[in-house]
Amino acid sequence: MKKLILVASMLIAVYSCKKADAKSENNTEVTASSEAPKTSNKIVTLSGGITEIVSALGHESEIVGTDVTSTYPESLKATAKDLGHVRSMTIEPIMAVNPTLILASDKDINPELLGKIQSSGIQTEIFNQEYSVEGTKKLIEQVAKAIGNTDYQKLNNKIDEDMKQVQPIAKKPKVLFIYARGNNLMVAGKNTPMEKLIGLAGGENAINDFEDFKPLTPEAVVKANPDVLFFFTSGLQGAGGNEGVLKMPGVSQTNAGKNKNIIAMDGGLVSSFGPRLGEAVAGLNKLLIESAK
């Protein structure tokens, strides 16, 4: 009887040790019943794409602060603090939410903020974001590993599946993306997320003589002579809809203006280059095909 009790005690002790060993670094406990590892991280995400990745991996509840571009999922509005835009953000709002992990893209973040984040003592990961399918898949893998989650391949597989819906376009339409916010009108040049998205969707960026974004001018619109004008949905609404766009100086002289080829998509979807990239590309591809009819 004493031997049986001794054996049972030893088995309980071994089981307890194995359970304790299931906890890995970053306070992660792997459980068979959960979709994502449970962690005690308090995460600040400073990129819409990174925010989407963390959420899609099942860690949305750990996000305590985001940047202004993090508009998806909408449920984050009720649980995570909006810290502003990384171009003008300061360190104080970030420190106020007491994060244990900061995840950011190397794009747009102001150097002063980056320096203060890196000297704060808080665990920080700065990712090089490439605006391509492979770059996005690489980012998903890197973010997943940073938060202690290895179950990221399903997100990359979803991108591949969505990209299969993209249809070839015989004659590439020239697409001009216009960022409209209030009286601020900007057009996308080379090496912007919008240029890359347009290319993936089978179109051609209408402006190739400068990089980044520049203010919209009538001369630039006429010179670019786009076949399609592309807006964020919110931007098109703010510009007065299709009628308002057609009244913009120079637009009526372009192929897009003459044919009233104006399209719009959700800004968070098309600009984040996150897990929904394939969905964004396929959606834009469909709109470009329809506009050519």
Side-chain angles (χ1 to χ4, degrees), residues 23-247:
K23 291 186 177 180
S24 60
E25 294 182 2
N26 297 324
N27 299 316
T28 302
E29 181 179 354
V30 180
T31 58
S33 60
S34 62
E35 293 184 2
K38 293 180 179 179
T39 74
S40 59
N41 284 322
K42 295 175 67 178
I43 306 172
V44 163
T45 53
L46 302 180
S47 158
I50 292 173
T51 301
E52 286 194 29
I53 294 169
V54 174
S55 299
L57 288 168
H59 297 258
E60 180 183 338
S61 62
E62 298 165 41
I63 300 176
V64 294
T66 64
D67 74 319
V68 73
T69 70
S70 299
T71 58
Y72 184 89
E74 290 189 10
S75 50
L76 274 172
K77 292 180 181 178
T79 58
K81 186 174 179 58
D82 183 348
L83 304 171
H85 199 289
V86 291
R87 288 181 178 175
S88 56
M89 191 184 299
T90 60
I91 190 69
E92 287 78 14
I94 296 175
M95 300 302 290
V97 297
N98 299 312
T100 60
L101 178 62
I102 300 173
L103 306 176
S105 164
D106 62 346
K107 301 296 187 293
D108 293 332
I109 190 167
N110 75 73
E112 182 180 357
L113 174 63
L114 179 58
K116 289 184 177 180
I117 286 175
Q118 292 176 328
S119 62
S120 67
I122 300 170
Q123 182 182 348
T124 300
E125 297 287 345
I126 307 295
F127 304 100
N128 176 26
Q129 189 168 13
E130 301 172 12
Y131 298 125
S132 65
V133 171
E134 289 307 312
T136 298
K137 290 161 70 174
K138 180 180 178 182
L139 179 65
I140 289 172
E141 178 183 355
Q142 291 174 332
V143 171
K145 290 179 178 178
I147 61 176
N149 189 320
T150 58
D151 188 23
Y152 60 85
Q153 191 57 47
K154 59 187 179 183
L155 300 185
N156 288 345
N157 291 342
K158 177 66 164 53
I159 291 175
D160 290 336
E161 286 301 311
D162 288 337
M163 288 297 297
K164 290 178 182 178
Q165 299 177 33
V166 177
Q167 301 297 315
I169 302 176
K171 184 180 178 182
K172 292 185 177 183
K174 291 172 63 178
V175 183
L176 178 65
F177 174 76
I178 301 176
Y179 174 80
R181 187 173 183 179
N183 295 324
N184 185 24
L185 298 174
M186 308 283 285
V187 291
K190 295 189 297 182
N191 296 320
T192 58
M194 305 315 298
E195 182 222 7
K196 302 303 181 184
L197 184 78
I198 290 167
L200 288 171
E204 176 185 349
N205 201 52
I207 293 180
N208 294 299
D209 54 356
F210 63 78
E211 297 195 5
D212 206 3
F213 286 80
K214 285 191 175 182
L216 174 71
T217 64
E219 295 78 16
V221 173
V222 173
K223 181 181 178 181
N225 191 24
D227 299 306
V228 181
L229 296 176
F230 180 25
F231 290 80
F232 290 158
T233 303
S234 59
L236 180 58
Q237 292 172 346
N242 287 11
E243 290 185 6
V245 170
L246 292 173
K247 293 177 182 178

Side-chain angles (χ1 to χ4, degrees), residues 255-274:
N255 290 334
K258 293 172 184 176
N259 296 313
K260 299 182 179 180
N261 274 342
I262 302 168
I263 61 175
M265 294 181 68
D266 177 73
L269 172 64
V270 299
S271 64
S272 66
F273 273 74

